[in-house]
Amino acid sequence: MNGMQERITVDQTQIDSVKDSEDETVLLKSQLNKARSALLAMQNQDGHWCFPLEADCTIPAEYILMMHFMDEVDVALEQKIARFIRSKQDKSHDGWPLYYGGDFDISCSVKSYYALKLVGDSPDEPHMVRAREAILQYGGAASSNVFTRLLLAMYQQIPWRGVPVVPSELILLPKWFPFHLSKISYWSRTVMVPLSILCTLKAKAANPRRVNIRELFTVPPEQEKNYFPRAETRLKRFFMWVERILSKFEPQLPEFMRRYSIRRAEQWTLERLNGECGIGAIFPAMVNAYEALALLGYPKDHPDRELCRKALEGLLVFEDEQAWCQPCTSPVWDTVLSGLALQEDEDTDQQPVRAAMDWLLTKQILDEPGDWRDKCPALPGGGWAFQYANPHYPDLDDTAAVVWALVQTQNQAPEDLKGAYEQSIARAVDWLAGMQSSNGGFAAFDVDNTYHYLNEIPFADHGALIDPPTSDVTARCVGSLSLYNAERYQEAVQRGIEFLLSEQEANGSWFGRWGTNYIYGTWSVLEALKLAGMDPNHMSIRRAVQWLKSIQREDGGWGETNYSYFDTQQAGQFETSTSFQTAWAILGLMAAGEVNNKSVRTGVDYLLRNQAPGGLWDEPWFTAPGFPRVFYLKYHGYSNYFPVWALGRYRTLTKGNKT
C-alpha cells in the first residue's frame, strides 16, 4: 500500500510538472510576442531601427562650450541641455560620472561645471558649490585629461604649456616615422587632424559672456607646474622629454612649412567631411572640424561650414524640456541586431526583417576611398559603417554582423529571393577576410594597428590611440566567415579561432572591448565557436560555460559593472542584474548547448519577470565602453533587442520540450 501511494504521488508530481511546463510555454509565447510587437513598432518605415546612443555629460557640455566658442549661442537650446546636465549630477559625490552610478570623474565634472556657468548658473548656487568643492577635492581643473585641458587652453583658462604640442606638421610625417596617421585609430586621426589646426593657430574661443572658471584651480593656472602627471614608465619619460623639446622647437618651424601643413590638414579634413553625418560621424571630430573651418576664415554661410553645423545638430536628442547630444548615431548596428533578434523565431513573419536587410544593402560601402585602403590598397570594398554614412570608415564588427543576418535571411527566404543578397555577402566576406591582422585577430577598423608604444605619448592619456584586434570583433568575423563559406575561408577562420583561444582569460571568460564586459566578450566568442562548428565539449567552451554559471545572481539574472575595466576582480559582478547582460549570458550558454540547463531557465524567468508593461525592458545602466576606463556609452536599444533575441532562441530550441 505504501508503495502504491508513493507511485501515485510520483505520477501526480509528473502531471504538475507537465502543467507547469505548459503554463511557462504559454507565458513565454505571450510575453515574447508582446516584446516582438513592441520592437517592431519602433521600426522606421524604410525598414531600419535607430535608438538613442547616450554618453556621459562630457558631450552635451561640449555642445554648449562649442556654441560659446563660435559665438553662435542658441539660448533656448543651451537651457534645455543645461537641464539635462543638472539632472545627471551625482548626489553621492556631487560631480559627474562617466556612466550612470559611476565614480566622480574630474574631466567630465570640469566641463559640466563650465557649461553650466556659461549658461548663467551662479557659482553660489548650491549645486555649483557642491560641484566646485568636489572638483577641488580631486585636484582641481589642472588635473583634467588632455582633451579637457586643450579646451581650457582655447578658452584661455590655462596657458598652452599645459597641453601637449599637436602641430599641423604631423600630417607631413612619412610612414616610416614612429608616428604616422595610419598608425593610429580612425577615431584618433579624425579628431587629431582638425585639432592640429586649432592648436597650431592657438585658437581662442569667442566666449562672448567672458566666463572663466578660475575658482576650479588649486593653484593659479599661470603658476601651475604640474599639468602633466608623473610618467611611470621609461618610455613615457622618454616621450615627455621629446614633448618638452618639441614645445620649444615648434614655434621656430619655418613659416612656409607651417602654411603648407595647415593647408594639407585642411584638405584632409575637407575630403572627409562626410556630408550631414560629419567627419568620422563622431562628435569630437565634428566639433574640431567646425571650429577649424571657422578659424581658417570660412564664412558662416559657406557650404562646408553649414554641413558641419547640420551634422552637429543632427546628433541632438530632445526630450520635453531637456536636450542632450549623442556622440554619434548607431542605425546600422541597431538594425542588424534587431534583425538578428527577430530571426530567431522563424515561424513569425520575416517580412520586417527582409525590409531591414534591404535597407542595409543600400548602406554597403563598395568603391569609396576609405582610409583602410592605406594598408590594403588592392582589396575591394564591401563593408558597412556604424552610422548612416561614414564611407571612409567601414568597420568589421558591423560588417560581420550584417553578413550573419544576411546569410540567415537568405537561408530563410523563399526560393525566388535566395539570390538577392549573394553579391553583397560575397563582397563583404572577401573584405572581412582581407582585413585580418597578422596575429589572426580582427580589429574594429584597421589591419595591424598595433603600435602600442603610441599609447605612451602625452597626448594619449585616454589609452585608446590605436585599434588592435579584440576578441569580440574577431568572434563576429570568425562566425560570419564560417556561416557563409567555412571551406573557402578555412585558413582565416582557423587563425581567428587560434587567436580567440589564446585570448581566453584564466577564469574562462573573454574580454569585451565594445560591450560591458566579460559577459559580452564571452557571449560573442561562444556564438562564434558555435557557428564555426566547434565541439561544445571543447575545454575552452566548458570553461566559459562554467564561468557564466558561476557568476549568475540569486535572482536568476546576470550583471557586470563598468568598473570591471579598472578591476578585473569585478568581472561578471554588479549590484543588480540587467536585461541585456542576462540576455548575453543566456545566448552564450545556449550557443554552448546548454539550453535545458537550470541556469538558462532561471535567466529566462528573470527576463520575463522584469519585462516592462510596454513589452520591452527599461533600465538606466550604461552598456558599453567607447574607450575602456575613460568613455562609456548607453545603447538604448540593448534593453530592447537583446532580450528578444534570447527569448526567441529559447522558445525555438524548447518547442515541444515538456520536461
Side-chain angles (χ1 to χ4, degrees):
M1 185 68 179
N2 290 339
M4 178 63 72
Q5 179 64 45
E6 182 178 353
R7 181 179 63 79
I8 292 173
T9 302
V10 170
D11 288 347
Q12 187 61 51
T13 301
Q14 290 174 339
I15 291 170
D16 291 343
S17 176
V18 170
K19 287 182 178 178
D20 290 344
S21 177
E22 289 175 346
D23 289 343
E24 289 174 2
T25 301
V26 171
L27 177 64
L28 173 62
K29 180 179 179 181
S30 171
Q31 294 302 97
L32 176 57
N33 287 342
K34 191 175 182 180
R36 188 177 186 277
S37 296
L39 182 59
L40 286 171
M42 297 177 171
Q43 188 175 21
N44 289 283
Q45 287 189 347
D46 61 5
H48 87 282
W49 282 266
C50 187
F51 296 95
L53 182 60
E54 183 180 346
D56 61 75
C57 281
T58 296
I59 302 297
E62 286 184 358
Y63 200 99
I64 290 175
L65 286 154
M66 178 268 295
M67 288 194 289
H68 286 258
F69 183 100
M70 300 289 289
D71 195 10
E72 296 175 355
V73 180
D74 182 330
V75 175
L77 175 59
E78 72 173 1
Q79 289 297 332
K80 286 178 179 285
I81 297 175
R83 291 189 192 102
F84 177 84
I85 294 173
R86 291 187 204 106
S87 74
K88 298 298 180 179
Q89 187 174 12
D90 194 293
K91 294 180 180 178
S92 67
H93 52 63
D94 295 321
W96 283 265
L98 294 177
Y99 49 86
Y100 179 84
D103 294 336
F104 175 90
D105 183 76
I106 185 72
S107 299
C108 183
S109 297
V110 168
K111 286 182 179 177
S112 297
Y113 180 98
Y114 203 171
L116 291 179
K117 192 174 180 183
L118 282 169
V119 304
D121 286 19
S122 168
D124 297 326
E125 292 186 55
H127 68 287
M128 296 290 276
V129 172
R130 294 196 304 272
R132 181 169 66 252
E133 290 175 351
I135 290 169
L136 293 173
Q137 181 183 345
Y138 281 87
S143 300
S144 300
N145 63 22
V146 163
F147 286 112
T148 303
R149 299 201 312 274
L150 282 164
L151 186 146
L152 294 179
M154 293 182 217
Y155 264 85
Q156 301 177 71
Q157 300 303 296
I158 67 170
W160 281 95
R161 64 176 175 80
V163 298
V165 178
V166 189
S168 55
E169 284 78 10
L170 289 173
I171 202 166
L172 305 179
L173 296 173
K175 287 186 178 181
W176 54 261
F177 200 75
F179 182 94
H180 186 266
L181 288 179
S182 66
K183 293 179 178 178
I184 59 176
S185 63
Y186 119 75
W187 56 84
S188 298
R189 68 183 81 114
T190 54
V191 168
M192 184 177 286
V193 172
L195 178 63
S196 73
I197 297 173
L198 296 170
C199 291
T200 299
L201 298 177
K202 298 295 185 286
K204 294 181 181 179
N207 194 5
R209 298 173 188 168
R210 299 294 181 264
V211 176
N212 69 71
I213 52 168
R214 290 185 67 86
E215 67 271 20
L216 296 187
F217 292 86
T218 58
V219 174
E222 59 275 5
Q223 298 175 22
E224 177 64 61
K225 297 181 179 179
N226 297 310
Y227 284 109
F228 294 89
R230 177 182 292 274
E232 314 92 20
T233 67
R234 182 177 299 177
L235 188 56
K236 279 190 175 181
R237 288 193 290 273
F238 170 74
F239 281 129
M240 284 298 298
W241 175 80
V242 172
E243 164 71 27
R244 285 193 292 270
I245 298 298
L246 184 59
S247 65
K248 294 180 179 178
F249 178 70
E250 185 252 355
Q252 311 304 321
L253 289 171
E255 187 61 29
F256 77 89
M257 182 184 293
R258 179 123 293 182
R259 289 196 301 270
Y260 177 63
S261 65
I262 290 174
R263 189 162 63 251
R264 283 280 303 276
E266 177 186 359
Q267 292 168 349
W268 191 97
T269 300
L270 290 174
E271 180 186 335
R272 291 161 178 79
L273 278 188
N274 188 29
E276 291 189 11
C277 282
I279 179 171
I282 52 175
F283 177 83
M286 291 154 64
V287 168
N288 288 344
Y290 187 41
E291 294 174 353
L293 291 185
L295 192 61
L296 291 171
Y298 284 68
K300 190 174 183 178
D301 60 352
H302 190 282
D304 289 332
R305 189 165 156 182
E306 286 189 337
L307 274 179
C308 289
R309 178 177 52 79
K310 289 179 181 178
L312 288 161
E313 291 173 350
L315 294 176
L316 292 170
V317 176
F318 293 90
E319 299 173 341
D320 298 325
E321 294 303 308
Q322 292 188 160
W324 52 279
C325 184
Q326 303 174 95
C328 61
T329 57
S330 54
V332 171
W333 191 238
D334 287 333
T335 299
V336 69
L337 293 180
S338 296
L340 285 166
L342 295 169
Q343 284 177 336
E344 288 294 336
D345 192 347
E346 296 182 22
D347 293 340
T348 57
D349 179 16
Q350 292 296 299
Q351 182 54 42
V353 177
R354 286 194 289 273
M357 297 304 109
D358 291 343
W359 181 84
L360 286 170
L361 292 183
T362 68
K363 301 300 177 183
Q364 190 171 21
I365 298 168
L366 298 173
D367 300 319
E368 291 80 355
D371 280 11
W372 55 271
R373 293 181 186 274
D374 187 73
K375 289 282 183 69
C376 305
L379 180 64
W384 277 265
F386 182 75
Q387 305 90 347
Y388 285 104
N390 198 5
H392 275 81
Y393 304 107
D395 75 271
L396 281 72
D397 211 2
D398 279 271
T399 301
V402 172
V403 167
W404 185 2
L406 287 176
V407 171
Q408 292 187 159
T409 301
Q410 186 169 256
N411 292 341
Q412 296 170 4
E415 285 300 321
D416 60 329
L417 296 177
K418 284 191 179 294
Y421 309 117
E422 181 59 34
Q423 185 176 358
S424 291
I425 297 171
R427 285 286 297 266
V429 291
D430 280 344
W431 184 74
L432 282 177
M435 294 293 287
Q436 189 169 26
S437 289
S438 57
N439 64 2
F442 294 82
F445 295 91
D446 285 300
V447 175
D448 290 329
N449 197 264
T450 53
Y451 302 91
H452 292 279
Y453 63 85
L454 290 176
N455 277 331
E456 304 290 305
I457 66 176
F459 178 81
D461 64 350
H462 59 305
L465 201 67
I466 59 174
D467 177 23
T470 61
S471 295
D472 43 3
V473 178
T474 300
R476 220 93 58 220
C477 294
V478 165
S480 295
L481 293 173
S482 300
L483 186 64
Y484 177 64
N485 192 327
E487 184 176 349
R488 179 177 177 183
Y489 300 104
Q490 183 177 5
E491 182 182 354
V493 168
Q494 187 56 42
R495 290 177 59 220
I497 290 175
E498 289 172 1
F499 173 85
L500 291 174
L501 296 182
S502 71
E503 289 288 302
Q504 190 171 23
E505 303 288 333
N507 62 11
S509 68
W510 276 273
F511 179 78
R513 166 60 180 87
W514 296 100
T516 304
N517 173 350
Y518 293 93
I519 297 177
Y520 179 85
T522 303
W523 158 66
S524 299
V525 175
L526 288 175
E527 287 281 6
L529 298 182
K530 173 197 171 189
L531 293 172
M534 181 175 282
D535 185 347
N537 293 315
H538 189 283
M539 182 177 66
S540 289
I541 294 178
R542 290 299 96 200
R543 290 174 58 215
V545 166
Q546 183 57 41
W547 180 76
L548 284 173
K549 291 179 180 178
S550 73
I551 61 168
Q552 188 171 19
R553 294 172 52 80
E554 289 185 5
D555 61 6
W558 280 262
E560 182 173 356
T561 173
N562 280 299
Y563 198 72
S564 62
Y565 289 102
F566 292 91
D567 179 7
T568 57
Q569 296 301 311
Q570 298 297 313
Q573 306 298 316
F574 197 31
E575 64 188 62
T576 184
S577 298
T578 70
S579 67
F580 55 94
Q581 288 165 326
T582 297
W584 294 337
I586 294 171
L587 287 166
L589 289 170
M590 288 190 288
E594 298 287 316
V595 65
N596 291 317
N597 190 278
K598 180 182 177 182
S599 290
V600 172
R601 291 197 297 271
T602 54
V604 167
D605 181 61
Y606 171 84
L607 290 177
L608 295 176
R609 282 188 286 109
N610 288 276
Q611 195 170 0
L616 297 172
W617 291 258
D618 185 26
E619 51 209 345
W621 312 111
F622 276 41
T623 60
F627 310 129
R629 302 188 181 194
V630 297
F631 187 65
Y632 294 88
L633 301 165
K634 179 184 178 182
Y635 288 80
H636 284 233
Y638 277 20
S639 295
N640 296 329
Y641 42 72
F642 277 117
V644 172
W645 192 343
L647 294 178
R649 177 175 295 178
Y650 181 74
R651 180 168 181 261
T652 296
L653 294 178
T654 57
K655 281 179 182 177
N657 186 354
K658 300 297 183 183
T659 58

